Amino acid sequence: MTAIDLSSPVAVVGTGTMGQGIAQVALVAGHPVRLYDAVPGRAEAAAEAIGARLDRLVAKDRLTAAGRDAARDRLTPAAALADLADCALVVEAVLERLDVKQQLFRELEEVVADDCLLATNTSSLSVTAIGGALGNPGRFVGLHFFNPAPLLPLVEVVSGFATDVTSATRAYETARAWGKTPVACADTPGFIVNRIARPFYAEAFAVYEAQAADPATIDAVLRECGGFRMGAFELTDLIGQDVNESVTHSVWRSFFQDVRFTPSLAQRRLVESGRHGRKSGHGWYDYAEGAERPEPHTADKERPPAHVTVEGDLGPAAELLPMLREAGIQVREDDEDNGTRMVLPGGGQLALADGQTSVEFRDVVYFDLALDYRKATRVALSASQDTSSQTLTEAIGLFQALGKDVSVIGDVPGMIVARTVARIVDLAHDAVAKGVATEEDIDTAMLLGVNHPLGPFEWSRRLGRGWAYDLLDDLHLRDPSGRYAPSLALYRHAYATDKRESTP
């Protein structure tokens, strides 16, 4: 099944920001486009707004004047749904209410031809439930664009329970013909991105609720150590706290209140207070004119240790060994591989976050996972009240000698980046095992949909098969609520290779 022919009209119902964006994408691709809105005058206003955006594209040399004029000629406001009768595709972008969408598609089904593809841009409702109102749900599909639709490349092509393969394929190929990067997924709460991205927000909020670190410090660690483009607090301020929390609640409810998707009480209080982020002038941060942005906690300068003794290969942190030598710190290697840690001159230990807590051991400081230890500009350390000041000082000095800012946080298992990545990896493996999407499409979706530095499966390959499972298993022992219980899919992934490698 090929993409919809460019000569065939495409309709967009709902002319808000997302509807206008989708219409612009189809228009620039070459289709005649019809705009419809139930509120009189809105379709005409939307057409004018799209025309103004086309003018800006011309000013930026992204579209020729002739191309703009031709696109404007193809754009038509529709006075009634009956004006969409000859459209080959109708994309809905109206209010996120199931009854409203179902009623709209019932009415559309009475108007359009039998071979017209019907699509919803819903981000939180069930595609299956919306399509269930149709006499022919086989031609119904989800086309979830990301805002702003003209700029962001990702489109999640969602197959409902009754969606025909030919309809899904046609929608997929059409999105690709429009210059987008489509990914195919089954109709599951949150689809790909909003399902698998939940831990990025949830774990940051959990560390904050545990009073282990403030928002500015957590954001700085996620950016400067984890390689994420934005931290969870600043990103949700940009998205809108009310919007982000609404998506979280929707996914949580749709999964029958699965503890893995439990919303944050701290975020709930923020929303209740009216602090919705940038759009309200205050969220986790204050955006009033002249307001000072809080600085992340950064440790004072300390002297580096003269030497460290390394036990094991440090796993995902192995790159630290040549870095230490380059910084002039003598590295002594223990021939007995009885761990993956560094022993500091005072006898204290420095270990990569593994889901355990410092208070469980004698004189241990944990350090967080980094996307790239060479490029990271900040590293987080965690210690308990029982950790000696000498051990913490030596640990701080060690990372400062590598050119890193150091943030000391509370004694939380899995720290910040490590627990976040482990949970994202787990949800991704679980999604593949349940037929939601392929590994490739999930990695693509997370890279393009939320700008993660790596897709979950690329993280998994870098960190090793057992890394995420072992960390979550340790976290689960310390928090047996089920929030951190590794999925069966991750368990199988972690141990399948171990079994093969142990076979003579």
Side-chain angles (χ1 to χ4, degrees):
M1 179 63 70
T2 58
I4 293 171
D5 190 88
L6 289 179
S7 64
S8 299
V10 169
V12 177
V13 179
T15 57
T17 301
M18 185 57 76
Q20 290 181 32
I22 296 170
Q24 180 180 328
V25 170
L27 192 65
V28 172
H31 288 275
V33 174
R34 312 274 172 76
L35 285 173
Y36 175 78
D37 198 292
V39 179
R42 283 193 178 174
E44 290 78 8
E48 290 181 7
I50 293 171
R53 283 201 290 271
L54 295 178
D55 288 339
R56 290 195 288 272
L57 291 179
V58 172
K60 295 177 181 178
D61 292 326
R62 295 178 182 173
L63 184 67
T64 66
R68 173 199 59 197
D69 295 341
R72 279 178 169 169
D73 289 341
R74 294 193 303 271
L75 182 60
T76 308
L81 286 179
D83 295 337
L84 313 183
D86 62 339
C87 290
L89 166 65
V90 180
V91 184
E92 163 272 316
V94 302
L95 188 66
E96 282 287 275
R97 275 181 45 186
L98 180 60
D99 59 336
V100 172
K101 293 179 187 290
Q102 287 178 328
Q103 180 60 34
L104 169 64
F105 282 109
R106 288 191 195 98
E107 294 174 8
L108 280 169
E109 199 169 33
E110 297 297 320
V111 171
V112 299
D114 291 342
D115 61 351
C116 176
L117 186 64
L118 299 177
T120 175
N121 183 57
T122 186
S123 62
S124 60
L125 299 176
S126 164
V127 171
T128 301
I130 300 171
L134 296 174
N136 177 18
R139 62 166 162 176
F140 187 74
V141 67
L143 275 177
H144 180 216
F145 289 78
F146 287 74
N147 194 28
L151 296 180
L152 295 186
L154 184 69
V155 177
E156 292 177 319
V157 181
V158 186
S159 292
F161 187 79
T163 302
D164 292 335
V165 173
T166 53
S167 297
T169 303
R170 192 179 184 201
Y172 184 98
E173 293 301 332
T174 298
R176 185 158 63 177
W178 290 357
K180 296 301 182 182
T181 303
V183 292
C185 65
D187 184 21
T188 184
F191 309 141
I192 298 175
V193 172
N194 282 328
R195 171 179 178 153
I196 295 173
R198 302 311 340 137
F200 178 73
Y201 315 109
E203 294 312 306
F205 297 161
V207 171
Y208 167 76
E209 289 174 337
Q211 300 186 54
D214 60 276
T217 299
I218 296 169
D219 278 352
V221 172
L222 286 168
R223 286 193 316 270
E224 301 175 39
C225 186
F228 293 93
R229 186 167 297 185
M230 298 180 74
F233 296 89
E234 57 190 345
L235 179 55
T236 51
D237 268 358
L238 179 63
I239 294 169
Q241 297 301 331
D242 53 337
V243 174
N244 181 261
E245 193 209 25
S246 176
V247 173
T248 299
H249 270 269
S250 176
V251 172
W252 176 62
R253 288 192 302 268
S254 298
F255 275 114
F256 308 106
Q257 300 184 2
D258 187 330
V259 69
R260 295 177 302 166
F261 302 100
T262 301
S264 161
L265 181 58
Q267 189 181 36
R268 174 91 290 261
R269 293 292 179 257
L270 199 68
V271 172
E272 289 174 337
S273 72
R275 294 185 172 184
H276 294 170
R278 288 180 180 269
K279 63 186 178 183
S280 69
H282 206 304
W284 295 109
Y285 301 109
D286 186 353
Y287 298 95
E289 185 176 352
E292 292 187 12
R293 181 70 175 262
E295 293 293 326
H297 166 77
T298 303
D300 292 336
K301 188 70 176 177
E302 302 289 353
R303 293 183 60 185
H307 62 84
V308 293
T309 300
V310 177
E311 298 177 346
D313 61 6
L314 297 187
E319 182 62 18
L320 289 174
L321 297 184
M323 292 171 61
L324 290 170
R325 293 187 177 98
E326 292 163 15
I329 298 175
Q330 183 184 4
V331 177
R332 304 170 181 174
E333 298 190 48
D334 192 330
D335 291 335
E336 295 185 11
D337 187 358
N338 57 358
T340 54
R341 58 198 173 196
M342 290 179 274
V343 180
L344 298 163
Q349 298 178 19
L350 184 59
L352 176 63
D354 58 6
Q356 301 182 88
T357 56
S358 180
V359 75
E360 301 171 52
F361 305 98
R362 186 189 67 82
D363 217 12
V364 170
V365 171
Y366 280 105
F367 63 94
D368 210 347
L369 177 71
L371 172 68
D372 185 325
Y373 283 101
R374 283 194 177 273
K375 294 180 180 178
T377 57
R378 182 178 300 271
V379 172
L381 303 179
S382 69
S384 74
Q385 65 272 21
D386 296 330
T387 304
S388 72
S389 58
Q390 179 181 357
T391 296
L392 183 57
T393 296
E394 289 175 343
I396 293 171
L398 182 145
F399 281 102
Q400 288 175 339
L402 301 182
K404 317 300 180 187
D405 287 329
V406 175
S407 293
V408 179
I409 69 171
D411 187 20
V412 286
M415 300 191 68
I416 298 171
V417 179
R419 69 197 284 175
T420 299
V421 169
R423 288 208 58 216
I424 289 172
V425 167
D426 182 46
L427 290 185
H429 279 280
D430 184 54
V432 169
K434 292 176 178 174
V436 172
T438 65
E439 292 185 8
E440 181 181 3
D441 276 357
I442 288 175
D443 273 1
T444 297
M446 300 310 289
L447 289 170
L448 298 182
V450 279
N451 290 312
H452 280 196
L454 295 176
F457 293 97
E458 181 60 27
W459 272 115
S460 188
R461 288 187 287 272
R462 281 197 183 193
L463 298 170
R465 279 183 171 264
W467 180 86
Y469 176 84
D470 290 343
L471 187 143
L472 290 175
D473 195 39
D474 279 334
L475 262 169
H476 178 55
L477 289 174
R478 287 149 186 84
D479 179 358
S481 65
R483 178 187 180 107
Y484 300 102
S487 66
L488 179 59
L490 190 65
Y491 175 84
R492 287 171 171 158
H493 174 77
Y495 283 95
T497 292
D498 290 348
K499 182 178 180 180
R500 286 196 296 268
E501 288 178 349
S502 64
T503 302

PDB file of all heavy atoms in Angstrom, residues 98-115:
ATOM      1  N   LEU A  98     -13.157  11.569  24.753  1.00  0.00           N
ATOM      2  CA  LEU A  98     -13.548  10.406  23.975  1.00  0.00           C
ATOM      3  C   LEU A  98     -14.903  10.606  23.304  1.00  0.00           C
ATOM      4  O   LEU A  98     -15.066  10.311  22.115  1.00  0.00           O
ATOM      5  CB  LEU A  98     -13.582   9.167  24.877  1.00  0.00           C
ATOM      6  CG  LEU A  98     -13.989   7.851  24.208  1.00  0.00           C
ATOM      7  CD1 LEU A  98     -13.030   7.483  23.086  1.00  0.00           C
ATOM      8  CD2 LEU A  98     -14.058   6.733  25.247  1.00  0.00           C
ATOM      9  N   ASP A  99     -15.892  11.130  24.045  1.00  0.00           N
ATOM     10  CA  ASP A  99     -17.227  11.272  23.467  1.00  0.00           C
ATOM     11  C   ASP A  99     -17.246  12.267  22.309  1.00  0.00           C
ATOM     12  O   ASP A  99     -17.936  12.065  21.305  1.00  0.00           O
ATOM     13  CB  ASP A  99     -18.234  11.688  24.547  1.00  0.00           C
ATOM     14  CG  ASP A  99     -17.871  13.000  25.235  1.00  0.00           C
ATOM     15  OD1 ASP A  99     -16.680  13.372  25.236  1.00  0.00           O
ATOM     16  OD2 ASP A  99     -18.783  13.653  25.796  1.00  0.00           O
ATOM     17  N   VAL A 100     -16.470  13.346  22.441  1.00  0.00           N
ATOM     18  CA  VAL A 100     -16.403  14.351  21.373  1.00  0.00           C
ATOM     19  C   VAL A 100     -15.797  13.747  20.102  1.00  0.00           C
ATOM     20  O   VAL A 100     -16.312  13.940  18.994  1.00  0.00           O
ATOM     21  CB  VAL A 100     -15.594  15.572  21.833  1.00  0.00           C
ATOM     22  CG1 VAL A 100     -15.357  16.539  20.675  1.00  0.00           C
ATOM     23  CG2 VAL A 100     -16.308  16.288  22.980  1.00  0.00           C
ATOM     24  N   LYS A 101     -14.707  13.015  20.267  1.00  0.00           N
ATOM     25  CA  LYS A 101     -14.046  12.424  19.103  1.00  0.00           C
ATOM     26  C   LYS A 101     -14.917  11.343  18.459  1.00  0.00           C
ATOM     27  O   LYS A 101     -15.013  11.253  17.225  1.00  0.00           O
ATOM     28  CB  LYS A 101     -12.688  11.857  19.515  1.00  0.00           C
ATOM     29  CG  LYS A 101     -11.674  12.921  19.938  1.00  0.00           C
ATOM     30  CD  LYS A 101     -10.351  12.282  20.356  1.00  0.00           C
ATOM     31  CE  LYS A 101      -9.379  13.305  20.948  1.00  0.00           C
ATOM     32  NZ  LYS A 101      -8.867  14.246  19.938  1.00  0.00           N
ATOM     33  N   GLN A 102     -15.553  10.521  19.281  1.00  0.00           N
ATOM     34  CA  GLN A 102     -16.408   9.468  18.725  1.00  0.00           C
ATOM     35  C   GLN A 102     -17.558  10.058  17.911  1.00  0.00           C
ATOM     36  O   GLN A 102     -17.865   9.578  16.813  1.00  0.00           O
ATOM     37  CB  GLN A 102     -16.958   8.590  19.845  1.00  0.00           C
ATOM     38  CG  GLN A 102     -15.928   7.667  20.465  1.00  0.00           C
ATOM     39  CD  GLN A 102     -16.507   6.843  21.594  1.00  0.00           C
ATOM     40  OE1 GLN A 102     -17.412   7.298  22.311  1.00  0.00           O
ATOM     41  NE2 GLN A 102     -16.007   5.635  21.781  1.00  0.00           N
ATOM     42  N   GLN A 103     -18.181  11.094  18.442  1.00  0.00           N
ATOM     43  CA  GLN A 103     -19.287  11.718  17.727  1.00  0.00           C
ATOM     44  C   GLN A 103     -18.825  12.322  16.408  1.00  0.00           C
ATOM     45  O   GLN A 103     -19.499  12.201  15.377  1.00  0.00           O
ATOM     46  CB  GLN A 103     -19.933  12.796  18.600  1.00  0.00           C
ATOM     47  CG  GLN A 103     -21.112  13.513  17.953  1.00  0.00           C
ATOM     48  CD  GLN A 103     -22.248  12.574  17.577  1.00  0.00           C
ATOM     49  OE1 GLN A 103     -22.503  11.580  18.276  1.00  0.00           O
ATOM     50  NE2 GLN A 103     -22.930  12.859  16.477  1.00  0.00           N
ATOM     51  N   LEU A 104     -17.656  12.958  16.419  1.00  0.00           N
ATOM     52  CA  LEU A 104     -17.116  13.548  15.191  1.00  0.00           C
ATOM     53  C   LEU A 104     -16.917  12.484  14.121  1.00  0.00           C
ATOM     54  O   LEU A 104     -17.310  12.662  12.958  1.00  0.00           O
ATOM     55  CB  LEU A 104     -15.791  14.250  15.490  1.00  0.00           C
ATOM     56  CG  LEU A 104     -14.981  14.695  14.259  1.00  0.00           C
ATOM     57  CD1 LEU A 104     -15.757  15.745  13.466  1.00  0.00           C
ATOM     58  CD2 LEU A 104     -13.621  15.213  14.677  1.00  0.00           C
ATOM     59  N   PHE A 105     -16.330  11.352  14.487  1.00  0.00           N
ATOM     60  CA  PHE A 105     -16.047  10.331  13.483  1.00  0.00           C
ATOM     61  C   PHE A 105     -17.318   9.628  13.015  1.00  0.00           C
ATOM     62  O   PHE A 105     -17.390   9.167  11.864  1.00  0.00           O
ATOM     63  CB  PHE A 105     -15.007   9.339  14.006  1.00  0.00           C
ATOM     64  CG  PHE A 105     -13.603   9.890  13.949  1.00  0.00           C
ATOM     65  CD1 PHE A 105     -12.930  10.245  15.102  1.00  0.00           C
ATOM     66  CD2 PHE A 105     -12.976  10.072  12.726  1.00  0.00           C
ATOM     67  CE1 PHE A 105     -11.646  10.780  15.049  1.00  0.00           C
ATOM     68  CE2 PHE A 105     -11.700  10.599  12.650  1.00  0.00           C
ATOM     69  CZ  PHE A 105     -11.024  10.956  13.815  1.00  0.00           C
ATOM     70  N   ARG A 106     -18.334   9.537  13.873  1.00  0.00           N
ATOM     71  CA  ARG A 106     -19.622   9.023  13.407  1.00  0.00           C
ATOM     72  C   ARG A 106     -20.171   9.912  12.292  1.00  0.00           C
ATOM     73  O   ARG A 106     -20.681   9.428  11.265  1.00  0.00           O
ATOM     74  CB  ARG A 106     -20.627   8.966  14.561  1.00  0.00           C
ATOM     75  CG  ARG A 106     -20.378   7.881  15.594  1.00  0.00           C
ATOM     76  CD  ARG A 106     -21.575   7.750  16.515  1.00  0.00           C
ATOM     77  NE  ARG A 106     -21.262   6.980  17.711  1.00  0.00           N
ATOM     78  CZ  ARG A 106     -20.961   7.511  18.888  1.00  0.00           C
ATOM     79  NH1 ARG A 106     -20.949   8.833  19.034  1.00  0.00           N
ATOM     80  NH2 ARG A 106     -20.681   6.736  19.919  1.00  0.00           N
ATOM     81  N   GLU A 107     -20.057  11.218  12.515  1.00  0.00           N
ATOM     82  CA  GLU A 107     -20.550  12.166  11.511  1.00  0.00           C
ATOM     83  C   GLU A 107     -19.704  12.128  10.248  1.00  0.00           C
ATOM     84  O   GLU A 107     -20.234  12.195   9.118  1.00  0.00           O
ATOM     85  CB  GLU A 107     -20.561  13.578  12.100  1.00  0.00           C
ATOM     86  CG  GLU A 107     -21.553  13.749  13.247  1.00  0.00           C
ATOM     87  CD  GLU A 107     -21.447  15.112  13.905  1.00  0.00           C
ATOM     88  OE1 GLU A 107     -20.719  15.981  13.371  1.00  0.00           O
ATOM     89  OE2 GLU A 107     -22.092  15.319  14.955  1.00  0.00           O
ATOM     90  N   LEU A 108     -18.400  12.010  10.394  1.00  0.00           N
ATOM     91  CA  LEU A 108     -17.525  11.938   9.228  1.00  0.00           C
ATOM     92  C   LEU A 108     -17.806  10.695   8.396  1.00  0.00           C
ATOM     93  O   LEU A 108     -17.763  10.736   7.157  1.00  0.00           O
ATOM     94  CB  LEU A 108     -16.058  11.946   9.678  1.00  0.00           C
ATOM     95  CG  LEU A 108     -15.461  13.295  10.040  1.00  0.00           C
ATOM     96  CD1 LEU A 108     -14.106  13.117  10.717  1.00  0.00           C
ATOM     97  CD2 LEU A 108     -15.324  14.178   8.793  1.00  0.00           C
ATOM     98  N   GLU A 109     -18.100   9.593   9.071  1.00  0.00           N
ATOM     99  CA  GLU A 109     -18.337   8.347   8.350  1.00  0.00           C
ATOM    100  C   GLU A 109     -19.553   8.448   7.438  1.00  0.00           C
ATOM    101  O   GLU A 109     -19.636   7.754   6.412  1.00  0.00           O
ATOM    102  CB  GLU A 109     -18.516   7.203   9.352  1.00  0.00           C
ATOM    103  CG  GLU A 109     -18.315   5.829   8.745  1.00  0.00           C
ATOM    104  CD  GLU A 109     -18.232   4.740   9.793  1.00  0.00           C
ATOM    105  OE1 GLU A 109     -18.901   4.853  10.837  1.00  0.00           O
ATOM    106  OE2 GLU A 109     -17.493   3.770   9.580  1.00  0.00           O
ATOM    107  N   GLU A 110     -20.473   9.322   7.794  1.00  0.00           N
ATOM    108  CA  GLU A 110     -21.653   9.519   6.966  1.00  0.00           C
ATOM    109  C   GLU A 110     -21.362  10.392   5.747  1.00  0.00           C
ATOM    110  O   GLU A 110     -22.164  10.453   4.806  1.00  0.00           O
ATOM    111  CB  GLU A 110     -22.759  10.183   7.803  1.00  0.00           C
ATOM    112  CG  GLU A 110     -23.254   9.344   8.970  1.00  0.00           C
ATOM    113  CD  GLU A 110     -23.902   8.050   8.503  1.00  0.00           C
ATOM    114  OE1 GLU A 110     -24.639   8.092   7.486  1.00  0.00           O
ATOM    115  OE2 GLU A 110     -23.652   6.998   9.130  1.00  0.00           O
ATOM    116  N   VAL A 111     -20.213  11.077   5.766  1.00  0.00           N
ATOM    117  CA  VAL A 111     -19.900  12.064   4.727  1.00  0.00           C
ATOM    118  C   VAL A 111     -18.881  11.554   3.717  1.00  0.00           C
ATOM    119  O   VAL A 111     -19.068  11.691   2.500  1.00  0.00           O
ATOM    120  CB  VAL A 111     -19.379  13.368   5.388  1.00  0.00           C
ATOM    121  CG1 VAL A 111     -18.837  14.326   4.336  1.00  0.00           C
ATOM    122  CG2 VAL A 111     -20.480  14.022   6.200  1.00  0.00           C
ATOM    123  N   VAL A 112     -17.779  10.979   4.209  1.00  0.00           N
ATOM    124  CA  VAL A 112     -16.660  10.641   3.332  1.00  0.00           C
ATOM    125  C   VAL A 112     -16.877   9.309   2.626  1.00  0.00           C
ATOM    126  O   VAL A 112     -17.738   8.508   3.012  1.00  0.00           O
ATOM    127  CB  VAL A 112     -15.330  10.599   4.129  1.00  0.00           C
ATOM    128  CG1 VAL A 112     -15.036  11.946   4.752  1.00  0.00           C
ATOM    129  CG2 VAL A 112     -15.384   9.505   5.205  1.00  0.00           C
ATOM    130  N   ALA A 113     -16.058   9.064   1.606  1.00  0.00           N
ATOM    131  CA  ALA A 113     -16.140   7.816   0.840  1.00  0.00           C
ATOM    132  C   ALA A 113     -15.652   6.639   1.678  1.00  0.00           C
ATOM    133  O   ALA A 113     -14.940   6.801   2.680  1.00  0.00           O
ATOM    134  CB  ALA A 113     -15.315   7.938  -0.441  1.00  0.00           C
ATOM    135  N   ASP A 114     -16.018   5.435   1.245  1.00  0.00           N
ATOM    136  CA  ASP A 114     -15.674   4.233   2.005  1.00  0.00           C
ATOM    137  C   ASP A 114     -14.172   3.996   2.094  1.00  0.00           C
ATOM    138  O   ASP A 114     -13.698   3.339   3.016  1.00  0.00           O
ATOM    139  CB  ASP A 114     -16.336   3.006   1.360  1.00  0.00           C
ATOM    140  CG  ASP A 114     -17.845   3.017   1.519  1.00  0.00           C
ATOM    141  OD1 ASP A 114     -18.341   3.757   2.398  1.00  0.00           O
ATOM    142  OD2 ASP A 114     -18.521   2.297   0.764  1.00  0.00           O
ATOM    143  N   ASP A 115     -13.424   4.520   1.095  1.00  0.00           N
ATOM    144  CA  ASP A 115     -11.978   4.295   1.106  1.00  0.00           C
ATOM    145  C   ASP A 115     -11.199   5.455   1.736  1.00  0.00           C
ATOM    146  O   ASP A 115      -9.969   5.491   1.681  1.00  0.00           O
ATOM    147  CB  ASP A 115     -11.459   4.031  -0.302  1.00  0.00           C
ATOM    148  CG  ASP A 115     -11.708   5.202  -1.247  1.00  0.00           C
ATOM    149  OD1 ASP A 115     -12.436   6.141  -0.860  1.00  0.00           O
ATOM    150  OD2 ASP A 115     -11.184   5.168  -2.376  1.00  0.00           O
TER     151      ASP A 115
END
